[in-house]
């Protein structure tokens, strides 16, 4: 029967009865029990083996600790390097700052020297404010002294004054109310004459190259009107245009003063004085204008005016030789409020009373304009203005008219 079973098995296609027998997915229970018994009764490790394992574990931890110490040492070293670098950077920065200050100081000195060389090369000289104010103050004094000597006291001929008043209103912009207020003040006539003289100097003498002679003066005046910048704002382009124009005037002045062809009508060199023809023309015009105010004929009038005009031309020549812009301001507002940095106000006494405070109803007369400098004589800083001499203004209360 066994043979038949084997035969039956082989007939199903299995060559080896042992290898060909299919294996069950779940092993028999007795096999698991045997395994458990074997593990339960496994032989324990010896003390030497446990000691070796503990030593190995200890060595591993010591190695890790050494690695951490090494990493800590490296970090501390980097921190020290950073601190040293920081200290070095601060010291280096301080040193660089000192070097920068020294270089800046040397740069400023070089700029000053360069500007001086430019001034010498361009031909215009550095004129100080004290030089300008000294000349202008002396001119103010001479005009005031001339007016007091020749026109002190009240006007005698009212008819002549009316003729003079019409000319003043039309050509000089002095109001009739201001003139009438001056007429009732013992100091009024000299103030009117001084105001008229200053208006003539500002309009016809200053900034017109009159010291160069009539022909040159007219040509330069026309050319100046063409080249003068139109804009008068504070933009950089406007300031640069003004600077270039002022430097052109200064250089042209130097060329004219050095020119051997600059002759007056008598063929005389005008480098050391103003052309006589120019002075005589202005003196003749002023004498004709002031004649109605004279109490009597005065032969010394023309000589005194000649000195004043010549002094004004010398001042204008000095201004023209440097590159700063010098202007004369006689503009006032009928508001009773004045800029203390620009105006020196003197209030006259009311008829029969004390001094009156200025207000919008007062009458004002500019006896001398303000002298204002824009830029430096070396052709720099045209964005700044300085009042060299304040405007002299007299006021009268309206009730005194």
């Amino acid at each position: 029967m066994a043979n038949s079973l084997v035969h039956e098995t082989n007939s199903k296609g299995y060559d080896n009865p042992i290898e060909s027998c299919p294996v069950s997915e779940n092993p028999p229970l007795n096999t698991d029990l045997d395994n458990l018994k074997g593990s339960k009764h496994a032989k324990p490790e010896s003390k030497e083996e446990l000691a070796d394992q503990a030593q190995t574990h200890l060595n591993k931890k010591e190695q890790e600790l050494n690695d951490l110490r090494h990493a800590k040492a490296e970090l501390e070293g980097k921190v020290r390097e950073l601190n040293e670098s920081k200290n070095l950077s601060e010291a280096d920065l301080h040193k660089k700052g000192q070097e920068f200050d020294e270089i800046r100081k040397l740069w400023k000195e070089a700029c000053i020297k360069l500007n001086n060389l430019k001034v010498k090369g361009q031909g215009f000289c550095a004129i100080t404010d004290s030089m300008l104010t000294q000349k202008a103050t002396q001119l103010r004094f001479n005009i005031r002294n001339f007016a007091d000597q020749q026109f002190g006291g009240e006007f005698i001929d009212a008819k002549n004054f009316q003729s003079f008043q019409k000319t003043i209103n039309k050509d000089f912009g002095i109001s009739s109310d201001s003139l009438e207020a001056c007429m009732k003040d013992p100091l009024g006539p000299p103030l009117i004459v001084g105001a008229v003289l200053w208006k003539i100097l500002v309009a016809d003498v200053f900034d017109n190259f009159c010291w160069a002679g009539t022909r040159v003066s007219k040509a330069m005046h026309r050319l100046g009107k063409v080249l003068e910048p139109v804009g008068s704002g504070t933009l950089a382009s406007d300031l640069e245009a003004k600077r270039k124009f002022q430097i052109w005037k200064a250089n042209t002045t130097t060329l004219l003063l050095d020119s051997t062809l600059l002759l007056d009508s008598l063929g005389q060199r005008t480098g050391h004085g103003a052309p006589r023809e120019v002075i005589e023309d202005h003196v003749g015009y002023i004498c004709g204008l002031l004649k109605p105010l004279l109490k009597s004929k005065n032969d010394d009038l023309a000589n005194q005016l000649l000195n004043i005009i010549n002094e004004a031309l010398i001042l204008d020549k000095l201004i023209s030789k440097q590159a700063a812009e010098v202007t004369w301001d006689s503009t006032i507002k009928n508001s009773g409020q004045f800029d203390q940095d620009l105006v020196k106000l003197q209030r006259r006494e009311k008829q029969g009373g004390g001094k009156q405070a200025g207000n919008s109803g007062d009458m004002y007369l500019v006896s001398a304009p303000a002298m204002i400098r824009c830029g430096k004589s070396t052709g720099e800083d045209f964005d700044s203005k300085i009042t060299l001499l304040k405007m002299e203004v007299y006021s009268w209360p309206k009730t005194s008219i």
Side-chain angles (χ1 to χ4, degrees):
M1 182 172 180
N3 292 333
S4 63
L5 290 174
V6 172
H7 184 270
E8 182 180 356
T9 302
N10 291 337
S11 65
K12 292 182 179 180
Y14 300 112
D15 297 332
N16 192 328
I18 297 176
E19 294 179 357
S20 302
C21 181
V23 180
S24 173
E25 294 180 2
N26 296 322
L29 182 58
N30 56 352
T31 305
D32 294 336
L33 292 175
D34 293 338
N35 292 335
L36 289 175
K37 290 178 181 179
S39 61
K40 180 177 181 180
H41 299 283
K43 186 177 180 180
E45 297 179 355
S46 64
K47 292 182 179 180
E48 290 78 4
E49 292 177 346
L50 291 174
D52 292 340
Q53 293 178 2
Q55 186 63 39
T56 302
H57 181 74
L58 180 61
N59 293 338
K60 181 179 180 181
K61 294 301 180 182
E62 287 180 351
Q63 182 63 37
E64 291 177 355
L65 181 60
N66 290 332
D67 293 341
L68 290 175
R69 289 173 178 172
H70 182 71
K72 178 183 177 183
E74 288 184 351
L75 291 175
E76 290 177 347
K78 290 182 179 180
V79 170
R80 284 194 299 271
E81 291 178 0
L82 290 175
N83 290 332
E84 292 175 358
S85 177
K86 177 183 177 182
N87 296 332
L88 182 62
S89 298
E90 291 178 352
D92 187 62
L93 180 62
H94 180 70
K95 182 179 179 180
K96 294 296 183 183
Q98 292 180 336
E99 293 177 357
F100 174 78
D101 293 338
E102 184 66 21
I103 293 174
R104 184 176 180 84
K105 180 181 178 181
L106 296 174
W107 173 76
K108 287 184 177 180
E109 293 176 355
C111 287
I112 293 174
K113 293 180 181 179
L114 179 61
N115 288 334
N116 292 334
L117 292 175
K118 286 183 177 180
V119 169
K120 293 180 181 179
Q122 290 174 337
F124 52 83
C125 57
I127 306 298
T128 63
D129 291 345
S130 60
M131 296 171 64
L132 295 177
T133 53
Q134 182 180 0
K135 291 289 185 181
T137 301
Q138 184 63 43
L139 181 59
R140 278 187 176 186
F141 174 80
N142 292 341
I143 290 175
R144 189 182 303 113
N145 190 43
F146 162 78
D148 288 338
Q149 290 181 3
Q150 298 293 338
F151 302 94
E154 297 181 359
F155 294 128
I156 298 177
D157 193 339
K159 182 178 180 180
N160 289 341
F161 176 73
Q162 290 178 357
S163 175
F164 172 78
Q165 184 179 16
K166 291 180 180 179
T167 303
I168 295 301
N169 294 152
K170 178 182 178 182
D171 297 339
F172 296 96
I174 301 177
S175 67
S176 299
D177 292 341
S178 297
L179 290 174
E180 291 178 9
C182 288
M183 280 291 293
K184 297 181 180 181
D185 189 329
L187 295 180
L191 293 177
I192 294 176
V193 172
V196 170
L197 284 178
W198 272 108
K199 283 187 174 292
I200 292 174
L201 294 180
V202 172
D204 300 333
V205 176
F206 294 142
D207 203 26
N208 282 308
F209 290 88
C210 291
W211 45 265
T214 303
R215 183 171 59 88
V216 175
S217 174
K218 291 180 179 179
M220 292 302 300
H221 181 73
R222 289 194 297 267
L223 182 58
K225 290 298 181 182
V226 175
L227 299 178
E228 187 175 9
V230 177
S232 58
T234 58
L235 296 177
S237 57
D238 295 336
L239 297 177
E240 178 63 16
K242 180 186 292 186
R243 186 189 71 84
K244 291 181 178 179
F245 178 71
Q246 290 300 130
I247 290 178
W248 170 80
K249 286 179 59 179
N251 288 332
T252 304
T253 297
T254 302
L255 292 175
L256 289 173
L257 293 175
D258 292 340
S259 175
T260 57
L261 299 178
L262 186 58
L263 306 175
D264 63 8
S265 58
L266 299 178
Q268 297 173 344
R269 181 78 182 273
T270 62
H272 301 287
R276 179 168 292 274
E277 64 170 12
V278 175
I279 298 178
E280 291 178 348
D281 287 345
H282 284 94
V283 169
Y285 169 69
I286 296 174
C287 285
L289 183 65
L290 299 180
K291 186 177 180 180
L293 306 182
L294 289 173
K295 301 175 184 179
S296 59
K297 185 178 180 180
N298 190 336
D299 296 333
D300 193 44
L301 180 68
N303 291 330
Q304 291 186 14
L305 284 173
L306 187 146
N307 292 331
I308 289 175
I309 298 301
N310 186 63
E311 191 175 357
L313 290 172
I314 293 175
L315 173 60
D316 186 59
K317 186 192 302 183
L318 183 66
I319 294 173
S320 300
K321 290 169 64 176
Q322 48 91 54
E325 180 187 46
V326 176
T327 56
W328 307 87
D329 186 8
S330 59
T331 305
I332 60 174
K333 297 179 180 179
N334 293 325
S335 60
Q337 302 296 327
F338 296 94
D339 185 355
Q340 299 297 324
D341 295 331
L342 182 64
V343 176
K344 179 182 178 182
L345 179 63
Q346 301 184 47
R347 296 183 175 91
R348 299 297 297 160
E349 294 183 0
K350 178 183 176 182
Q351 290 287 331
K355 293 184 178 181
Q356 301 293 309
N359 55 62
S360 59
D362 284 355
M363 298 297 102
Y364 300 101
L365 179 71
V366 179
S367 61
M371 185 182 188
I372 301 174
R373 173 178 61 79
C374 178
K376 293 182 179 180
S377 61
T378 54
E380 301 170 313
D381 298 341
F382 277 88
D383 55 343
S384 62
K385 289 186 178 182
I386 296 179
T387 300
L388 300 181
L389 288 178
K390 292 184 179 181
M391 184 191 310
E392 292 184 352
V393 180
Y394 286 83
S395 68
W396 292 264
K398 198 169 185 178
T399 55
S400 65
I401 300 177

